């Protein structure tokens, strides 16, 4: 498998599992989690979005 195909597969997996991260954040919202907790989650999404080639995720995360 080429490196390009490997990266494409990793990106697809990241996108397919993104709903789990969103659900985790919804649960935190329901529990009235602190701003620091949300900051940590958005910070991780910002970095992971760039890592997996999903600049849209990073852009949205950075704007929050």
């Amino acid at each position: 498998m080429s490196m390009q195909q490997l990266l494409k597969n990793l990106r697809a997996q990241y996108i397919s599992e993104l709903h789990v991260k969103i659900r985790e954040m919804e649960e935190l919202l329901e529990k009235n989690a602190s701003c620091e907790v949300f900051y940590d989650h958005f910070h991780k999404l910002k970095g992971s979005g760039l890592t997996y080639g999903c600049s849209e995720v990073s852009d949205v995360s950075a704007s929050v």
Side-chain angles (χ1 to χ4, degrees):
M1 177 181 303
S2 71
M3 182 62 93
Q4 185 176 8
Q5 186 60 44
L6 177 62
L7 292 173
K8 185 177 177 181
N9 291 347
L10 287 171
R11 182 176 192 269
Q13 181 178 354
Y14 176 77
I15 291 169
S16 73
E17 295 174 357
L18 197 54
H19 73 282
V20 174
K21 301 291 185 196
I22 293 169
R23 182 63 196 141
E24 288 174 359
M25 293 177 76
E26 289 172 339
E27 290 172 1
L28 290 171
L29 187 59
E30 291 170 2
K31 295 177 182 178
N32 295 319
S34 69
C35 291
E36 291 82 16
V37 171
F38 279 103
Y39 174 83
D40 288 344
H41 279 270
F42 279 110
H43 183 74
K44 288 176 187 175
L45 281 174
K46 179 183 166 191
S48 64
L50 289 175
T51 300
Y52 290 100
C54 298
S55 60
E56 300 88 352
V57 172
S58 292
D59 293 344
V60 169
S61 299
S63 68
V64 174

